[in-house]
Amino acid sequence: MTALDTPTTTPTDRVRLAAERVRLAYGEKVVVDDLDLQLTDGSFTAIVGPNGCGKSTLLKALGRLLRPTAGSVLLDGRAITSTPTREVAKVLGLLPQTPLAPEGLTVADLVARGRHPHQSWLRQWSSDDEAVVAEALRWTDMAELADAPVDALSGGQRQRAWISMALAQGTDLLLLDEPTTYLDLAHQVDVLELVGRLHTERGRTVVVVLHDLNLAARYAQRLVAMKDGVLVAAGTPAEVLTEQLLADVFELEARVVPDPVTGTPMVVPVRRLR
Amino acid sequence: MTLTAPTRAPEQRSRPRRVLRAGSVSATYRLRQLVVPLATVVVLLLAAAISMGRGDYPISIPQVLGALVGLGDDTQRFIVTELRAPRIVAAVLVGLALGMSGALIQTFARNPLASPDILGVNGGAAIGAVSVIVFAGTGTTAAGVLGGIGLPLAALLGGFVIAFAVFGLAWRKGVDGYRLVLIGVGLSAMSHAVVQYLLTRSTIWDAAAANVWITGSLNGRGWDDVLPLALALAVLVPAALALGRVLNVLQFGDETARGLGVRVPLAQGTVVVVAVALAAFAVSAAGPIQFVALVVPQIAVRLTGGSRPPLIASGLLGALLLVASDLTARTVLTEAFPVGVVTAVVGAPYLLWLLVRGRRRSTL
């Protein structure tokens, strides 16, 4: 047992995070309405959909960054907005789309900040925290870069550093908003491999917003497709990624063939439908 | 053959962390973060001792130390403990408060150009103080005395009112640093317009007195001026230090900070209240010394390294800058020269040098 192991045991059907008839709005503008979603323990879910469909908004609500104007988000059966935010932070970690690291911050300092919810005036930085941070750095292959400033890293390394911080936070659940944005394909694969290992080796329950359908189908066990703030389909990648759905949701004519490497569905675009 | 470059450390100076352990508690630190504050304290004490000896009546450093513990003749004791010590203690406390206030505001706003001046503290304090100077009377001696009694409090209240007006206008379920700076610039400009208007309504003697105050001056400060500031700092400095941990996380921006369990609006509000109070008490004691809160945190972060202006080092360097500037004003220049002029002359070239020399961008 290493310092990073969380209390999670084998995956169960227990619902960890759920949206119940949520309506999400920015001011007057309703982005998501009457949406239901359940995320079970140990699952790996990717939310997909066209730009502006409300998938990042939904992820914000699941991570209690946005308060629903109707309905509620339940974390382990309890309304997330009425749970103390520090308690939530011990169970649920999140990575915003373009997180900001202040200039001059080293990777080790960044990862150490992940321990914030576990510390207080009575419980300051401890050797336990130190061990967790060292293990998180090692596990994400960032140990050699521990003393490098985050702003000097490449895009892929920077994303690994943030994932390392999320790992050090030690939460069962992890929400990631487009973690592969601005990365080249090799680094996209690299980041998703890492997230996949968090799921398989560390038992994390992962929810990720992704643009690339083929990568989503390859790494996630479950896809959730959204359009215009409505949940259109949810299920295994094979169930969700059909030629009909691509036409309906993405307005895209495409062939769906088995991925020659993993056998998961692979989308080959033909042309845009209008 | 592989075309992908191996992962390796960027070409950066490595800043090794050291670990301090006491039982199960450990703390990581970098050597520079300890050395800079300690060295500053040594230089500060030296500057303060020299400053107490200098003036129209020179006293050697051993005699200064003797006078402080009650030795030496009455004249020396009077000059050191009643004339020079309160002025120098005021310089230390004002510099400490301004340096820490600047470090808090710059970290919170994620903007190296932010300072309590931008938040309107100086503008508000100037309205309060100049009002007292102008309206307290017609320039007679009695009115001057009256003004002197009411001025620090009026400046304190003025600073608080404008700063919280800025904060209130910037508030939208939390505060965006950029919006805060823009609104602060606007309200500061309005405050300075009010001050200019008051000056046009005043006599030439009042206007001269007001101008000295607006520049920032330690002339004639006694223990009566030091006491309220010292009491305020006894509360505010520990409060500021207690905020260090949450500042580390607030720096990441609202979403990441909330993800790490910080109640962002509450934390932001606390940071601003402490920063404004530090600056307002400093300004009420010495006038709006413009430069310290803006530049000292940037000097401090370049000396110590790290991701944000360090609170303790910023405070100590602020104190050192003010004591050194005051010493310069009193000895190299004439006794009546306001310290606010010198802080800019001493500090600005140093910051420019650090900026030109360093690779660090001028952003936080």
Side-chain angles (χ1 to χ4, degrees):
Chain A
M1 165 130 182
T2 66
L4 284 177
D5 280 322
T6 49
T8 313
T9 50
T10 48
T12 62
D13 288 338
R14 187 158 63 97
V15 174
R16 298 300 304 270
L17 193 60
E20 289 193 344
R21 310 203 60 177
V22 289
R23 177 191 296 152
L24 306 172
Y26 296 110
E28 295 290 300
K29 188 171 177 279
V30 176
V31 180
V32 171
D33 201 9
D34 202 23
L35 186 142
D36 284 289
L37 180 65
Q38 293 194 330
L39 301 160
T40 54
D41 194 37
S43 58
F44 186 151
T45 308
I47 306 177
V48 298
N51 289 330
C53 71
K55 54 192 190 298
S56 285
T57 305
L58 174 62
L59 198 78
K60 281 194 170 81
L62 292 173
R64 53 97 167 75
L65 296 181
L66 185 67
R67 179 184 283 267
T69 49
S72 56
V73 171
L74 303 179
L75 174 63
D76 292 326
R78 190 174 166 195
I80 199 167
T81 45
S82 56
T83 310
T85 186
R86 178 184 288 270
E87 296 308 310
V88 175
K90 290 177 184 170
V91 184
L92 182 150
L94 52 94
L95 206 52
Q97 196 170 341
T98 43
L100 251 117
E103 192 184 352
L105 190 77
T106 62
V107 171
D109 284 339
L110 174 70
V111 176
R113 303 282 199 266
R115 300 305 295 164
H116 184 84
H118 302 276
Q119 294 163 352
S120 67
W121 269 103
L122 293 174
R123 197 193 161 288
Q124 295 279 340
W125 185 253
S126 70
S127 45
D128 283 352
D129 293 323
E130 199 186 315
V132 170
V133 168
E135 172 71 0
L137 285 167
R138 193 194 58 73
W139 203 81
T140 50
D141 284 335
M142 292 301 286
E144 278 184 24
L145 292 170
D147 290 320
V150 177
D151 47 87
L153 300 180
S154 71
Q157 290 170 335
R158 195 172 304 161
Q159 203 56 269
R160 290 185 89 87
W162 281 99
I163 291 170
S164 188
M165 186 197 85
L167 182 59
Q169 196 177 338
T171 57
D172 290 352
L173 288 90
L174 188 56
L175 312 185
L176 304 107
D177 193 356
E178 297 192 27
T180 54
T181 313
Y182 306 129
L183 298 181
D184 61 47
L185 189 55
H187 285 103
Q188 291 182 29
V189 170
D190 182 58
V191 163
L192 287 173
E193 284 287 339
L194 186 61
V195 174
R197 282 176 57 217
L198 278 173
H199 170 243
T200 52
E201 295 175 25
R202 295 289 175 192
R204 299 293 202 270
T205 305
V206 176
V207 186
V208 56
V209 169
L210 277 183
H211 262 297
D212 190 306
L213 297 174
N214 295 337
L215 291 178
R218 185 182 280 198
Y219 290 98
Q221 298 171 318
R222 191 160 171 259
L223 292 193
V224 171
M226 285 178 72
K227 188 190 183 186
D228 298 334
V230 176
L231 198 154
V232 180
T236 63
E239 287 166 355
V240 173
L241 281 190
T242 60
E243 287 169 8
Q244 186 61 48
L245 179 119
L246 290 166
D248 293 344
V249 172
F250 290 92
E251 294 173 7
L252 181 76
E253 184 186 334
R255 300 282 165 272
V256 177
V257 296
D259 186 320
V261 178
T262 55
T264 50
M266 189 170 84
V267 175
V268 182
V270 178
R271 66 169 162 270
R272 180 155 182 215
L273 298 168
R274 282 174 202 275
Chain B
M1 196 185 89
T2 173
L3 287 174
T4 49
T7 305
R8 63 191 170 88
E11 304 297 329
Q12 284 283 336
R13 281 168 299 161
S14 156
R15 299 168 190 160
R17 287 162 303 140
R18 287 148 212 276
V19 180
L20 199 66
R21 283 194 188 78
S24 68
V25 178
S26 71
T28 51
Y29 64 95
R30 289 182 184 78
L31 196 58
R32 284 204 290 170
Q33 290 168 342
L34 279 186
V35 169
V36 171
L38 287 177
T40 308
V41 167
V42 171
V43 180
L44 177 62
L45 290 175
L46 203 67
I50 293 170
S51 189
M52 285 197 209
R54 291 303 177 89
D56 292 340
Y57 186 96
I59 303 169
S60 71
I61 289 180
Q63 285 173 322
V64 166
L65 296 178
L68 284 176
V69 294
L71 302 173
D73 62 52
D74 287 351
T75 317
Q76 283 181 353
R77 278 212 305 276
F78 177 76
I79 288 174
V80 169
T81 61
E82 292 302 318
L83 295 185
R84 291 180 188 162
R87 179 194 182 107
I88 288 155
V89 172
V92 169
L93 297 182
V94 167
L96 186 80
L98 289 177
M100 289 187 102
S101 177
L104 287 172
I105 295 280
Q106 289 181 359
T107 308
F108 158 75
R110 294 194 281 278
N111 189 333
L113 293 178
S115 73
D117 330 2
I118 291 288
L119 272 186
V121 175
N122 286 353
I127 292 178
V130 174
S131 299
V132 170
I133 293 171
V134 174
F135 294 130
T138 50
T140 60
T141 315
V145 171
L146 199 70
I149 294 166
L151 193 144
L153 191 60
L156 185 70
L157 294 176
F160 270 115
V161 167
I162 299 294
F164 288 118
V166 170
F167 193 66
L169 288 171
W171 183 272
R172 278 186 179 172
K173 295 178 184 172
V175 171
D176 169 54
Y178 196 64
R179 185 179 158 83
L180 186 78
V181 169
L182 285 179
I183 288 174
V185 168
L187 273 189
S188 290
M190 284 168 66
S191 306
H192 290 300
V194 171
V195 170
Q196 294 300 320
Y197 170 75
L198 287 172
L199 288 177
T200 65
R201 310 299 298 164
S202 66
T203 67
I204 188 75
W205 299 281
D206 285 349
N211 257 323
V212 169
W213 190 89
I214 290 169
T215 316
S217 172
L218 291 162
N219 290 341
R221 294 298 184 274
W223 291 118
D224 290 348
D225 300 296
V226 170
L227 187 66
L229 182 58
L231 291 177
L233 291 195
V235 177
L236 293 171
V237 170
L241 295 179
L243 288 169
R245 224 170 55 82
V246 88
L247 282 176
N248 281 341
V249 178
L250 272 184
Q251 268 194 305
F252 289 148
D254 294 1
E255 292 195 347
T256 311
R258 289 175 69 185
L260 288 170
V262 173
R263 291 155 76 187
V264 171
L266 178 72
Q268 288 182 331
T270 315
V271 170
V272 168
V273 167
V274 172
V276 165
L278 279 167
F281 275 100
V283 173
S284 80
I289 298 174
Q290 292 277 355
F291 192 69
V292 183
L294 178 67
V295 162
V296 160
Q298 290 302 307
I299 293 175
V301 74
R302 279 168 178 77
L303 290 178
T304 57
S307 63
R308 64 176 171 86
L311 289 171
I312 294 174
S314 296
L316 292 172
L317 283 164
L320 175 59
L321 176 60
L322 221 57
V323 169
S325 300
D326 183 52
L327 177 62
T328 313
R330 290 195 304 116
T331 54
V332 179
L333 307 164
T334 63
E335 176 78 25
F337 220 98
V339 70
V341 176
V342 186
T343 51
V345 175
V346 172
Y350 185 51
L351 179 74
L352 287 175
W353 179 70
L354 284 172
L355 281 172
V356 170
R357 199 196 59 147
R359 273 176 296 176
R360 191 186 176 92
R361 293 194 308 272
S362 59
T363 54
L364 274 184

